Amino acid sequence: MPEKKIWWKHGVVYQIYPRSFYDSNGDGIGDIPGIISKLDYIAGLGVDAIWLSPVNMSPMFDFGYDVSDYREIDPIFGKTEDYSTLIKECHKRDLKIIMDLVFNHSSHLHPWFIESRSSRNNPKSDWYIWRDGKKGKYPNNWMGEFGGRAWEWDEVREQYYLHLFLKEQPDLNWRNNELRQAVYEEFRYWLDAGVDGFRLDVINFFVKDKEFRNNPFAIGRYPRPHDMQKHIYNRNQPELHDILHDIRSILDGYDSRMMVGETFADDMNPAMPASYMGDGSDELHLAFDFSTMFLQWDAKKFFNSINSWINAVPNNGWPCHVFSNHDQPRSMTRFGKRNESESRGKVLAVLLLTLKGTPFLYYGEELGMANRHIPKKHIHDPVGLKYWPIPVGRDGERTPMQWTPGINAGFTAGEPWLPLNNNYTKVNVQTELKDEKSFLNFYKSLIKLRKRNDILAFGSWEPVNKGEDDILSYRRIYNNRELLVILNFSSKLKKKIPVDITNRKVLFSTHRTADSIVGTDENYIYPYEATVLM
Ligand code: TEU
Ligand code: CA
């Protein structure tokens, strides 16, 4: 009996940043009707699910990651009915839909917060995190991720409230049971509406230290005050497990729903995301390990990061992999080295689509889209507004999707909300579809390979070469059948290779003809070769 495919384990997920995907009405901002009109393109890629960054009602201080109504759709993205149409149209095409829910914090304009801040004794007074203190004397040393203190003084309550991000993003108090129940109702609302899964924003930040202890000093990635602390007291508190059990049992009351947690760490230790998968069946279905996002181009480093992640995942759990998203520079830019970025991009694509675990793609990754430098006057992201030029902010990875070589890459008939990457005349859907050798067609055939091949879906992951001599290679084994994946991270031809590949059949390759058999005189690896062999 072949194993049954489960969409979130054996499928591919495609992340859309709605503002930047496709603008249907010429206001320069992508929207839900725009996404609907591109669903055939998405289904044509062969992916199984889409994840939309938040589209709920929001004053957009953090572009949707500050929600003022968890049920309504923000008018900039469309009507609430448009979202129901989107669900239906996805399902028609066998696509699942994953909603981004932001429940570490809400917008300061959410009615819950408006009520909570109105007095010290209203029914929702404890739904956010309020602390006494004298004005000017902060409750503790916690800093906001987006600048300044994590505490904001409120003149009415004469108290501070906590915001781990912007002051327009007050943190919800997950230690309050009424708040928990209210949030669970929002989950049920969307499950009833037919949403297949959730991506839970900074899930590991939900619960904070009961005693609000000061964070200790640390050397951070950036010289921002926020990064000069070890965040042990404002994240990852043990009570989070109870909450995840609750949410899991709500989801388990429905048919094949899934939640993936954004588990954010400074130290890249995979034990943290793994811990929130519980025993593999009672907390998160999937968790993000972002360690590959911060690596240099180095086969050994990739091996270590992926291997430790796969091994950290609990026995009944399942890994997932992500190389790009809306918060970090695109992989094409991070690893872009002069004219080698395309070759590296292809090696990465083969890696992502042949690993054990669910691959997450970020819109445009399939085209080879790269970041663009955003001049200061065009910066929208609060991180960039506050800190430019170090860090520059996240607009560069959020530029509009590149559909055609025409004006504004066919993204909008108006003025795009962010400037486009100038490479759109070459890097775009229309041009690439016509070119057999394009990045897009490369991706499409890789996704097809993954779908057709049960070994890639179900197989175990057995390292062969752990990055020595720039080679990363592994077997995927299922029911006594195996595939061998070989990736050359260097621009050099490798004559001494870890495993004899002669007489193997080529299933997919950057350099060799598919379905050919490797001859005795071909037992070497080309520069930046990525090959899947049977
Ligand atoms: O990101 C969490 C997070 O920690 C990132 O903000 C990261 O530290 C930052 O991008 C580095 O500059 C999530 C969302 O993905 C992000 O878009 C939101 O802004 C943030 O939460 C707040 O909701
Ligand atoms: Ca629009």
Side-chain angles (χ1 to χ4, degrees):
M1 260 280 280
E3 217 170 303
K4 204 175 152 254
K5 281 203 178 167
I6 298 171
W7 69 271
W8 54 267
K9 285 176 98 167
H10 309 116
V12 178
V13 182
Y14 185 83
Q15 181 193 352
I16 292 175
Y17 195 70
R19 280 185 94 77
S20 297
F21 200 60
Y22 185 67
D23 173 24
S24 72
N25 61 356
D27 65 359
I29 297 177
D31 44 52
I32 294 170
I35 296 171
I36 296 173
S37 70
K38 296 296 186 186
L39 284 179
D40 286 332
Y41 166 75
I42 297 169
L45 292 173
V47 302
D48 300 83
I50 58 172
W51 146 32
L52 264 55
S53 279
V55 290
N56 287 121
M57 193 71 88
S58 166
M60 304 288 169
F61 284 87
D62 189 18
F63 296 98
Y65 285 94
D66 50 325
V67 176
S68 56
D69 187 320
Y70 290 101
R71 301 192 184 190
E72 294 296 321
I73 298 301
D74 195 276
I76 204 84
F77 295 125
K79 300 198 212 37
T80 299
E81 302 87 82
D82 292 328
Y83 197 84
S84 333
T85 310
L86 176 65
I87 298 178
K88 263 192 250 133
E89 292 295 320
C90 282
H91 290 166
K92 253 195 222 163
R93 293 166 178 81
D94 250 338
L95 287 169
K96 304 286 183 184
I97 176 160
I98 300 173
M99 186 174 213
D100 206 324
L101 289 181
V102 189
F103 281 122
N104 172 68
H105 44 268
S106 73
S107 158
H108 67 309
L109 299 181
H110 194 291
W112 294 346
F113 187 68
I114 293 175
E115 187 175 339
S116 188
R117 82 190 309 181
S118 68
S119 70
R120 288 195 191 197
N121 52 13
N122 68 77
K124 297 192 176 54
S125 59
D126 187 39
W127 283 31
Y128 291 80
I129 299 172
W130 293 96
R131 298 294 287 169
D132 288 332
K134 272 203 223 96
K135 188 173 181 179
K137 196 173 176 311
Y138 298 99
N140 66 19
N141 73 351
W142 297 356
M143 303 301 295
E145 176 111 24
F146 295 163
R149 293 282 183 157
W151 296 100
E152 183 70 12
W153 179 255
D154 183 82
E155 289 293 348
V156 175
R157 284 183 62 146
E158 297 190 305
Q159 279 179 313
Y160 283 97
Y161 68 83
L162 180 72
H163 60 90
L164 295 181
F165 295 91
L166 294 172
K167 69 180 193 317
E168 292 83 5
Q169 294 169 297
D171 281 50
L172 291 161
N173 182 13
W174 276 92
R175 291 185 184 274
N176 179 296
N177 188 46
E178 277 175 42
L179 176 275
R180 280 193 198 188
Q181 299 309 322
V183 173
Y184 298 162
E185 278 313 303
E186 307 291 345
F187 273 86
R188 290 194 188 93
Y189 175 85
W190 286 111
L191 290 165
D192 290 333
V195 162
D196 300 286
F198 302 112
R199 178 263 188 195
L200 304 178
D201 194 58
V202 282
I203 183 87
N204 61 317
F205 290 24
F206 278 21
V207 190
K208 286 83 178 166
D209 180 43
K210 221 174 185 160
E211 294 162 41
F212 294 93
R213 279 169 281 189
N214 283 330
N215 281 327
F217 174 83
I219 303 284
R221 193 169 339 136
Y222 296 118
R224 311 186 285 189
H226 171 270
D227 300 285
M228 304 302 275
Q229 297 186 349
K230 204 168 156 99
H231 299 103
I232 53 176
Y233 291 123
N234 60 324
R235 314 175 174 170
N236 297 319
Q237 299 302 304
E239 293 84 351
L240 178 57
H241 295 288
D242 302 332
I243 294 170
L244 292 176
H245 286 144
D246 287 352
I247 305 178
R248 180 62 180 247
S249 56
I250 296 173
L251 265 68
D252 285 348
Y254 293 76
D255 184 29
S256 63
R257 311 295 169 102
M258 181 279 292
M259 56 177 167
V260 51
E262 188 207 20
T263 36
F264 204 87
D266 295 324
D267 61 2
M268 302 302 145
N269 183 350
M272 188 280 287
S275 73
Y276 296 120
M277 302 169 87
D279 70 6
S281 69
D282 58 351
E283 297 190 32
L284 294 172
H285 298 75
L286 299 175
F288 288 133
D289 165 65
F290 290 124
S291 52
T292 52
M293 296 246 205
F294 301 96
L295 297 178
Q296 287 137 311
W297 185 256
D298 179 316
K300 262 192 207 141
K301 291 194 169 136
F302 267 84
F303 171 78
N304 286 333
S305 139
I306 289 164
N307 191 52
S308 15
W309 172 225
I310 290 181
N311 290 320
V313 170
N315 279 339
N316 298 317
W318 189 251
C320 66
H321 305 280
V322 50
F323 293 166
S324 285
N325 69 15
H326 63 292
D327 288 336
Q328 303 299 335
R330 288 175 178 272
S331 52
M332 280 299 267
T333 300
R334 292 200 317 271
F335 304 119
K337 189 194 167 204
R338 277 164 288 139
N339 43 11
E340 288 172 26
S341 67
E342 186 162 332
S343 316
R344 290 180 173 190
K346 288 186 173 170
V347 171
L348 273 188
V350 176
L351 175 63
L352 184 62
L353 273 301
T354 58
L355 280 174
K356 176 186 174 185
T358 313
F360 278 72
L361 291 181
Y362 183 51
Y363 80 97
E365 194 170 336
E366 76 279 20
L367 304 176
M369 265 176 75
N371 271 51
R372 100 150 247 177
H373 166 76
I374 307 285
K376 199 171 177 208
K377 64 173 197 287
H378 286 302
I379 300 250
H380 284 68
D381 176 31
V383 174
L385 290 176
K386 171 82 188 176
Y387 290 112
W388 193 92
I390 303 175
V392 291
R394 302 167 294 182
D395 296 304
E397 54 264 26
R398 299 175 177 178
T399 60
M401 175 71 172
Q402 296 163 199
W403 295 103
T404 73
I407 298 170
N408 294 327
F411 162 71
T412 177
E415 191 59 39
W417 78 283
L418 272 182
L420 284 122
N421 192 315
N422 298 325
N423 68 9
Y424 76 78
T425 50
K426 285 194 196 103
V427 178
N428 67 73
V429 172
Q430 200 185 86
T431 307
E432 292 194 34
L433 276 179
K434 286 187 278 198
D435 174 6
E436 223 182 290
K437 292 207 153 70
S438 68
F439 223 81
L440 178 56
N441 281 318
F442 186 82
Y443 253 102
K444 283 177 83 165
S445 35
L446 257 177
I447 296 172
K448 220 187 250 161
L449 175 78
R450 188 172 178 96
K451 286 191 92 132
R452 262 202 322 250
N453 210 298
D454 283 356
I455 308 177
L456 288 176
F458 304 117
S460 61
W461 191 67
E462 318 278 343
V464 174
N465 205 60
K466 307 179 174 178
E468 301 91 348
D469 196 27
D470 304 317
I471 305 285
L472 177 53
S473 68
Y474 43 92
R475 296 177 215 275
R476 300 290 315 276
I477 304 178
Y478 181 61
N479 279 346
N480 298 322
R481 291 181 306 131
E482 71 159 57
L483 292 184
L484 176 67
V485 180
I486 300 194
L487 309 168
N488 183 354
F489 274 62
S490 88
S491 56
K492 295 189 190 74
L493 182 83
K494 303 283 174 176
K495 292 222 160 119
K496 238 184 75 209
I497 61 171
V499 52
D500 185 359
I501 59 171
T502 47
N503 293 326
R504 283 182 179 262
K505 185 172 156 189
V506 177
L507 288 190
F508 185 92
S509 176
T510 46
H511 290 73
R512 302 170 198 258
T513 317
D515 295 328
S516 66
I517 305 288
V518 180
T520 40
D521 54 345
E522 291 174 307
N523 196 25
Y524 48 77
I525 309 177
Y526 294 95
Y528 288 124
E529 174 173 354
T531 293
V532 185
L533 299 153
M534 189 78 167

